[in-house]
Structures are given as C-alpha cells and as structure tokens.
Amino acid sequence: MDKHFHLIQDTIREKRTELHINLPSWEEIPLEIFNIKSLKVLSITGGWAGTRGKKNKIPKEIAQLSNLEVLNLSKNQITEITSELFELEKLSQLYLEKNNISILPESISKLINLEILDLGENDITAIPRELGSIPNLASLNLK
C-alpha cells in the first residue's frame, strides 16, 4: 500500500497527467486520486474487488477529474456506472471491460467526445438507443 500511496502523492506534487495503478489487494479506490486535477489518463485495473456481495460503483468523486480524457477501470468487478461519470466532458476513451455491469445508462450520450467505448465481457442485456447519438464514437466493444 505504501508504494501506491507514494505514487499518488508524487503524481499530485509533480502535476503528472497520467496515473496507472493495479490494485489487487485494495478494497476501495483511494479517494486521494480524485484530487489530482492534472490527470488526463487514469488507469486502475485488476483488483478493487470490494466485499463479496457488495455492489461496486464507480466513485462519484470521478467528476472532480474534469481534464480526464482516458479512463480505464477494467477488471474491477464494477456493477454500476455512476451518473457522475457522464460529467467528464473531455473523456474520449472509456475502458470498462471485464466487470459485472448489466445496465448501460441512457445518459452515456452526454459523453459527446467519446471515441472508444469498451464494455466487453460484462453482463449488459440492452443497449440504449442514445448510444447512437454520440457523434465521435468510432469503436464500440460489447463482446
């Protein structure tokens, strides 16, 4: 945990634009990450399993990362997409594959700069019609 804590602190201090973390043993995403206003790329993968039976949602604090262009939250057992995610106006790439997402909210269409959306290996049963209104969406993975 110290290694990740220091990485987060260094990223804040140095105003880095990218942060990549593999969290195999943490139960929750450290909220300090959402204080890094300079982030353009955030990748948190491979863990964040939480407690068995508990629904994992994308933290609402994600909306604080207003400069974010690329978000990768793959392999994290996420079950719900938080509505605050759709406030990220600059987001162009969203990777949520290998989670447990079953519902894709209609408000996904608010991500008007989205070019790549990867939702592969989830439990999605229906695709909202609004997905077709994202003007720059060039790549969509639902397999």
Side-chain angles (χ1 to χ4, degrees):
M1 184 151 76
D2 270 346
K3 174 183 158 189
H4 291 104
F5 176 78
H6 291 298
L7 178 62
I8 292 167
Q9 294 305 312
D10 289 347
T11 302
I12 292 170
R13 185 177 55 257
E14 297 172 16
K15 297 182 180 178
R16 295 181 187 164
T17 60
E18 294 191 20
L19 180 61
H20 303 269
I21 298 179
N22 187 341
L23 298 177
S25 61
W26 289 8
E27 287 192 8
E28 295 183 14
I29 294 175
L31 296 180
E32 294 84 6
I33 288 173
F34 304 110
N35 294 326
I36 309 173
K37 306 301 182 204
S38 60
L39 279 183
K40 291 185 177 188
V41 176
L42 176 60
S43 178
I44 303 173
T45 60
W48 181 36
T51 308
R52 287 187 193 270
K54 177 183 171 186
K55 290 185 175 185
N56 282 343
K57 293 172 66 173
I58 298 170
K60 64 182 180 193
E61 291 83 2
I62 194 78
Q64 296 173 21
L65 301 176
S66 59
N67 291 312
L68 208 58
E69 297 173 6
V70 178
L71 178 60
N72 183 357
L73 294 175
S74 301
K75 303 176 190 174
N76 283 307
Q77 299 182 31
I78 295 169
T79 56
E80 285 185 48
I81 300 175
T82 307
S83 62
E84 286 81 3
L85 175 69
F86 307 123
E87 295 175 25
L88 299 175
E89 295 176 359
K90 295 181 181 179
L91 199 63
S92 64
Q93 298 177 34
L94 178 57
Y95 301 92
L96 294 171
E97 74 269 16
K98 297 182 181 176
N99 281 294
N100 298 316
I101 299 166
S102 59
I103 298 172
L104 186 59
E106 295 172 358
S107 47
I108 186 112
S109 62
K110 291 182 179 179
L111 297 175
I112 60 169
N113 290 308
L114 199 61
E115 297 172 8
I116 298 171
L117 177 58
D118 192 342
L119 293 163
E121 296 186 47
N122 276 288
D123 303 321
I124 297 172
T125 56
I127 304 300
R129 188 175 23 220
E130 291 79 5
L131 190 63
S133 68
I134 301 174
N136 298 316
L137 190 61
S139 176
L140 173 63
N141 178 22
L142 297 169
K143 281 188 176 181

